[in-house]
Amino acid sequence: MPRKVLEELQDLSRRALVSPVTFSLLFAFALAASIVAVTGGNPLAAGEEMFTGAVTGSGLRNTLGRAIPIVGMALAVSVAFRSGIINLGGEGQMVIGGLAGTIVAIYVPGPGFLIVPLAMFTGAVVGALWALLPAYGQTRLQLPILITSLLLNYVARAITGFLVRFPLADVSVTLATTRQVPETTRMPKMPLFGGVSLSLILVILMVVGLWLVYSRTVMGYETQMAGFNMRSARYGGIDVEQRTVQVMMVAGAIGGLIGTHLIIGEALRFIDGELVLSGFAWTGLLVSLLAVNRPIPIFVTGLFFSGLQIGGLAMQRNAGVSWRLSQVLQAVVIVAVACRLVIRRRDRRPSQPVDAETAGVGEV
Amino acid sequence: MTFELELRGITKRYPGVLANDAVDLAVHPAEIHAIVGENGAGKTTLMSLLYGLFPPDEGEIFIRGEPVRFDSALDAIAAGLGMVHQSFKLFPTLNVADNVVFRQEPTRRGLIDRAAGAARVKDLAERYGLAVDPEAAVEDLPVGVLQRVEILKALYRDAQVLILDEPTAVLTPQERDQLFEVIRRLREAGRTILFITHKLGEVMAISDRVTVLRRGRAVAHLTTSETDPAEITMHMTGRAVDLDRRAPEHQSDQVVLEVGNLTVLGGHGRPVVEEADFEVRSGEIVGIAGVAGNGQSELIEALCGLRETDAGTVTLSGRDITHADVTERRRAGLAYIPEDRYGVGTTRQASVAANLMMGHHRRPGIQNKGWLDRGAVAALARRLVEVFGIKVASVSGPVETLSGGNLQKVVVSREMEHQTPLLIAEQPTRGLDIGAIEFVHGQLIEYRDRGGAVLLVSAELSEILALSTRILVMFEGHIVACLDPRKVAEPEIGLYMTGSHLENQVA
């Protein structure tokens, strides 16, 4: 048995070495280092600050904290992508679910241990209902989810903007915002690394849960097969339309949960436009793509991206290198992975008759 | 006597596979030489090596006694080889002449002389009896003519040796006969033809000599006039097989599938299936013959719920399923082996097991309250792999690495396993080798003998004749004939398939 484990570890490390991700990371860091060097900075010092900033002291707490929305939104994207549904409405689902959850946390009276779960639940339900719109648009009216889900982001933003400006406005401040979430109904923090939100547990549960769904359940099997090959799934008797609706609801629910967490666990006020500016939905999309939509790699990649962002702030503070460099890093990693994947696919493609024929016609 | 072409000890290794193992091949000038073998026997690899697509690991190639080394297909073409691939490589929007002269256009004062090109192509076509209009746009031409264009391309480049890779796979019987006529004329004109196939009837009809490949080795060099199909089959498979078994009588009154005046509209509201009216009883195989594209696919899709029905009724075991979806139809007792095993029948990214469980995954035992029993899934997969002899390294491996025959076995075994009253089999043996064809046929017959009703669609007339209890012929969306296979000959079915019986009626 230990021998088998050893062999598997060897195999894993071998695959990690040739993996496009490894290559992309090395490439991205080399590029970032040379940018720092060329602009007169010290790449080693910057790198050190970035690393220590991300994993030591309050940095670790912040990295874990920021990983919650990044991983969460990546999971929301991944469930849709894995079923072949291009849901770009994560942002809208997060915003509208987040406001719904916030309203519960602010206005519904009751003890925290009841109201906090109720707020999260409400956020999830409203996010899911919001996601139903593009889902039914596709299954009933043949409107592509890709377009409708994206456009509904603006609608969601406009609706929440109106609500926090008028009916829900906190008139005591000059911002367009709700009242503050009362102390009793905030998401509790765990006594871990100086206070990480309890939502981290929720995210970990979702990672494990989705992994179980995909590897062990009929629903996971059907959605995945539909994502691979919709014609084949339909032929095999899978109700692709019904699955589309379910998957969109799950994606919307996760979005709503994360939106609610971001207010009752972090910002404490729903300020118009703030959730959108955070860009978590889009960072999550990149993380999901990078992790090929699989839950456990998403968790690792999400932590990494979170660390990059938090570390980048520390680097700016302590080494005088702009935190935007971490955004550059993030972008280069993605481009490099994409390139590497395309190149690998080309290598594998059998190149027999097509090449021969075109070459053959060419020269004679 | 010098050989036109000679291969000596050609060996090609792939990781884990010996694709060609010391293959010898000698071809006389002006000879039609058939290369036969089951799929995976190494035919395509051998031809690719000959055509310079990649170098052999060992061995030598001689052309007219001279040793040659091809670094690319260009070298092979320069040495007088021409290849007609299975899939054609033509520009659909250009006309025939432009396609043929492409990159070798005759010029006048530096400009392309299209008239001269067309004249040369016309001349070439007439000389070899290739009925082609040089001015016709390629996109308007039927498959049989496209193949002639490909042959013209090779002749235009003055190929002395023509390699035809499974040339009859896409042809109707009539087109096939015309092709054979052309091939014979080419031989008379002194050209040498390498004819790759796995159809024995063609080998006997057209070739002078035969080389049989099995598992990468040339196991027999035969002269056609001194051999027979049984001997060739023995060499191909290493054992004797019996393909031609007629259906015994199994009449039953129990109607399983009843199709009443079914009409399916295609694009532009034109009917692609019009008033199809037939039934399939338990214990019989009903064959639907027809040239591809005469409404068979649309009929089957409508029966399986993958396409809208515009008029008429479909009844399965007494239940009206005219407007039911796929899931309901499958539950009502229908299994379906689709024509397109790559795009529809299987999911290439998924594992062998995931593909084998498709449609079974909601069965109690396989799942319990939505949780898959992974042990049961693996057991199901392993059982099907074993019973149907699917060659896989592991059931958790990806299905995309399987050969065509094994992939088809995945589909066939899975659909058979449903044990439904009705099985629809669409082109179930297309592209399979003899061993696999024999296997699939055996399974269909067993299904019938267990009291199942089988609806079989095939472009392969011999298959229809060998298996069917009754034969329906489709032409332009209509079922134009219902025939008894014991009282009908292949040419007669061919007439119905091409609509010629209609012309006779008019005349």
Side-chain angles (χ1 to χ4, degrees):
Chain A
M1 193 64 190
R3 187 168 165 178
K4 203 178 165 195
V5 172
L6 197 71
E7 273 172 16
E8 274 192 12
L9 277 178
Q10 277 176 345
D11 184 51
L12 199 71
S13 51
R14 204 177 307 123
R15 272 189 299 163
L17 270 181
V18 299
S19 145
V21 176
T22 313
F23 166 81
S24 311
L25 289 179
L26 290 176
F27 179 71
F29 277 109
L31 188 73
S34 43
I35 290 176
V36 174
V38 165
T39 52
N42 179 350
L44 281 180
E48 196 187 331
E49 289 300 339
M50 188 178 227
F51 182 75
T52 53
V55 301
T56 57
S58 64
L60 185 57
R61 182 192 65 207
N62 291 339
T63 298
L64 289 173
R66 189 168 287 210
I68 294 169
I70 292 178
V71 172
M73 291 317 291
L75 292 176
V77 168
S78 73
V79 291
F81 278 16
R82 213 161 165 170
S83 316
I85 303 166
I86 313 292
N87 171 27
L88 298 182
E91 187 179 283
Q93 291 144 21
M94 176 176 85
V95 167
I96 211 126
L99 181 61
T102 306
I103 291 171
V104 170
I106 295 175
Y107 294 102
V108 176
F113 69 91
L114 281 182
I115 297 305
V116 171
L118 183 67
M120 293 296 273
F121 179 75
T122 309
V125 168
V126 173
L129 291 176
W130 188 252
L132 265 188
L133 286 174
Y136 278 132
Q138 173 147 319
T139 57
R140 302 277 166 87
L141 306 169
Q142 277 82 47
L143 301 171
I145 283 183
L146 168 71
I147 309 281
T148 48
S149 64
L150 181 67
L151 293 181
L152 279 167
N153 288 343
Y154 299 95
V155 179
R157 201 183 155 178
I159 291 175
T160 53
F162 166 78
L163 289 175
V164 300
R165 259 165 237 278
F166 299 104
L168 304 174
D170 181 354
V171 287
S172 66
V173 291
T174 52
L175 286 166
T177 175
T178 62
R179 284 164 34 195
Q180 217 178 30
V181 175
E183 250 172 67
T184 52
T185 57
R186 292 175 189 171
M187 180 61 76
K189 298 216 187 283
M190 301 179 288
L192 186 73
F193 309 122
V196 179
S197 170
L198 192 62
S199 302
L200 184 64
I201 300 293
L202 181 71
V203 167
I204 290 172
L205 285 178
M206 288 198 293
V207 169
V208 175
L210 284 175
W211 176 75
L212 272 177
V213 164
Y214 282 119
S215 59
R216 305 285 158 92
T217 69
V218 171
M219 177 166 181
Y221 171 76
E222 288 198 351
T223 52
Q224 241 178 139
M225 292 301 270
F228 283 145
N229 183 343
M230 200 169 294
R231 284 173 69 208
S232 179
R234 190 167 283 144
Y235 147 81
I238 292 173
D239 188 337
V240 175
E241 278 70 32
Q242 188 195 347
R243 286 291 172 216
T244 299
V245 169
Q246 289 170 345
V247 163
M248 282 299 283
M249 286 184 73
V250 170
I254 298 177
L257 280 176
I258 297 301
T260 308
H261 153 78
L262 281 171
I263 306 302
I264 71 172
E266 301 283 336
L268 306 183
R269 281 173 183 275
F270 190 102
I271 303 169
D272 182 32
E274 200 187 41
L275 283 185
V276 177
L277 283 178
S278 68
F280 288 134
W282 303 105
T283 309
L285 187 123
L286 298 178
V287 166
S288 183
L289 285 180
L290 209 55
V292 211
N293 306 323
R294 285 167 312 172
I296 289 164
I298 281 177
F299 190 72
V300 176
T301 315
L303 272 179
F304 174 70
F305 270 46
S306 172
L308 271 187
Q309 293 185 359
I310 300 297
L313 293 173
M315 178 179 70
Q316 169 159 315
R317 258 193 330 268
N318 302 331
V321 178
S322 165
W323 65 275
R324 299 220 172 259
L325 191 67
S326 60
Q327 284 190 322
V328 172
L329 260 173
Q330 205 170 304
V332 172
V333 168
I334 286 154
V335 172
V337 167
C339 291
R340 196 67 196 111
L341 282 176
V342 170
I343 293 167
R344 245 194 356 183
R345 210 170 299 150
R346 273 224 199 108
D347 289 348
R348 267 195 225 146
R349 194 180 302 157
S351 60
Q352 296 178 4
V354 183
D355 291 358
E357 191 64 16
T358 31
V361 176
E363 182 80 34
V364 198
Chain B
M1 177 180 186
T2 0
F3 292 114
E4 176 74 20
L5 173 74
E6 193 182 359
L7 307 181
R8 276 190 215 150
I10 296 287
T11 298
K12 181 74 189 174
R13 292 182 200 89
Y14 292 112
V17 186
L18 197 53
N20 283 150
D21 183 5
V23 173
D24 293 329
L25 174 69
V27 184
H28 295 291
E31 166 177 278
I32 301 175
H33 194 109
I35 296 176
V36 297
E38 299 195 306
N39 289 349
K43 294 174 301 209
T44 306
T45 305
L46 188 65
M47 289 306 112
S48 302
L49 294 170
L50 172 59
Y51 201 53
L53 300 185
F54 35 80
D57 295 330
E58 285 163 34
E60 293 171 296
I61 300 173
F62 299 87
I63 293 195
R64 284 177 285 279
E66 297 289 318
V68 289
R69 233 193 94 80
F70 298 150
D71 291 322
S72 77
L74 299 181
D75 298 346
I77 292 167
L81 299 187
M83 187 139 174
V84 176
H85 292 276
Q86 272 185 58
S87 51
F88 306 135
K89 289 151 176 74
L90 298 167
F91 301 102
T93 52
L94 297 183
N95 73 22
V96 169
D98 292 342
N99 265 288
V100 172
V101 302
F102 177 65
R103 299 290 296 268
Q104 260 210 332
E105 299 88 350
T107 54
R108 210 175 60 177
R109 291 193 218 105
L111 298 175
I112 293 174
D113 187 347
R114 296 186 71 197
R120 274 200 225 173
V121 171
K122 188 157 183 278
D123 178 55
L124 207 55
E126 275 168 9
R127 204 180 331 151
Y128 294 104
L130 289 150
V132 181
D133 173 10
E135 307 286 346
V138 159
E139 60 192 339
D140 301 333
L141 297 176
V143 177
V145 180
L146 295 181
Q147 191 171 54
R148 284 178 224 148
V149 178
E150 287 283 357
I151 294 174
L152 275 175
K153 263 165 70 178
L155 293 176
Y156 185 80
R157 283 158 185 77
D158 206 25
Q160 289 304 313
V161 179
L162 267 173
I163 306 168
L164 304 175
D165 189 4
E166 306 264 357
T168 59
V170 290
L171 303 182
T172 63
Q174 281 81 1
E175 285 175 329
R176 180 193 63 201
D177 293 343
Q178 287 167 1
L179 173 69
F180 285 180
E181 222 21 71
V182 169
I183 291 177
R184 290 198 187 96
R185 272 202 207 205
L186 288 167
R187 175 179 57 186
E188 277 160 31
R191 314 263 172 158
T192 307
I193 285 106
L194 276 176
F195 190 95
I196 303 164
T197 186
H198 56 241
K199 295 180 186 167
L200 297 182
E202 297 175 356
V203 174
M204 299 311 294
I206 187 88
S207 70
D208 301 312
R209 295 201 306 135
V210 191
T211 296
V212 185
L213 295 184
R214 186 171 87 228
R215 292 188 186 165
R217 303 173 57 179
V219 292
H221 303 279
L222 307 164
T223 302
T224 312
S225 55
E226 293 163 12
T227 185
D228 57 55
E231 187 187 357
I232 300 176
T233 306
M234 273 264 298
H235 288 298
M236 274 168 74
T237 60
R239 71 202 137 88
V241 289
D242 170 24
L243 259 189
D244 190 31
R245 54 193 145 191
R246 295 266 164 149
E249 275 309 289
H250 267 274
Q251 277 304 359
S252 150
D253 293 334
Q254 198 193 336
V255 174
V256 175
L257 176 73
E258 198 175 353
V259 179
N261 291 318
L262 184 75
T263 295
V264 179
L265 300 181
H268 313 296
R270 203 175 50 85
V272 284
V273 178
E274 207 166 357
E275 311 222 318
D277 202 61
F278 62 93
E279 54 187 40
V280 186
R281 296 197 187 89
S282 82
E284 73 171 353
I285 298 177
V286 172
I288 297 184
V291 177
N294 275 284
Q296 303 96 312
S297 307
E298 290 83 358
L299 171 66
I300 298 303
E301 282 176 17
L303 293 181
C304 297
L306 295 169
R307 187 181 272 270
E308 286 289 317
T309 303
D310 293 287
T313 56
V314 182
T315 313
L316 177 60
S317 302
R319 263 179 73 181
D320 180 5
I321 55 161
T322 312
H323 300 289
D325 66 21
V326 186
T327 319
E328 294 169 58
R329 282 172 205 248
R330 281 186 171 272
R331 220 168 278 152
L334 168 157
Y336 172 32
I337 299 168
E339 174 178 35
D340 181 359
R341 57 177 166 265
Y342 299 98
V344 177
T346 57
T347 293
R348 107 190 131 71
Q349 302 94 325
S351 69
V352 175
N355 273 288
L356 281 172
M357 69 188 273
M358 173 68 89
H360 297 285
H361 61 274
R362 282 171 175 275
R363 217 166 63 186
I366 297 289
Q367 59 98 16
N368 184 15
K369 299 193 180 86
W371 290 87
L372 290 169
D373 180 340
R374 302 208 300 170
V377 168
L380 169 76
R382 273 198 301 266
R383 186 161 56 77
L384 292 180
V385 162
E386 198 190 308
V387 172
F388 287 76
I390 305 169
K391 291 192 192 92
V392 286
S394 141
V395 291
S396 51
V399 85
E400 64 181 329
T401 56
L402 265 57
S403 71
N406 276 308
L407 201 62
Q408 185 69 355
K409 281 185 178 178
V410 167
V411 178
V412 170
S413 65
R414 180 186 65 206
E415 297 303 312
M416 295 266 180
E417 176 69 11
H418 284 295
Q419 300 181 349
T420 48
L422 176 68
L423 174 69
I424 297 179
E426 193 178 13
Q427 313 283 11
T429 61
R430 180 152 76 186
L432 301 191
D433 59 55
I434 275 211
I437 290 175
E438 187 198 25
F439 172 82
V440 172
H441 284 181
Q443 290 296 321
L444 290 176
I445 287 172
E446 222 182 288
Y447 204 85
R448 177 201 66 190
D449 289 345
R450 284 202 304 261
V454 180
L455 184 61
L456 168 72
V457 178
S458 178
E460 207 64 56
L461 262 190
S462 56
E463 176 165 279
I464 297 262
L465 279 166
L467 295 175
S468 306
T469 320
R470 284 184 295 135
I471 299 174
L472 307 174
V473 185
M474 279 193 85
F475 176 70
E476 294 188 345
H478 294 269
I479 292 177
V480 292
C482 178
L483 307 165
D484 183 337
R486 286 159 305 173
K487 295 176 190 153
V488 70
E490 193 166 327
E492 191 184 337
I493 304 179
L495 287 180
Y496 283 109
M497 281 167 63
T498 51
S500 310
H501 68 290
L502 296 172
E503 287 162 27
N504 292 345
Q505 281 167 3
V506 173

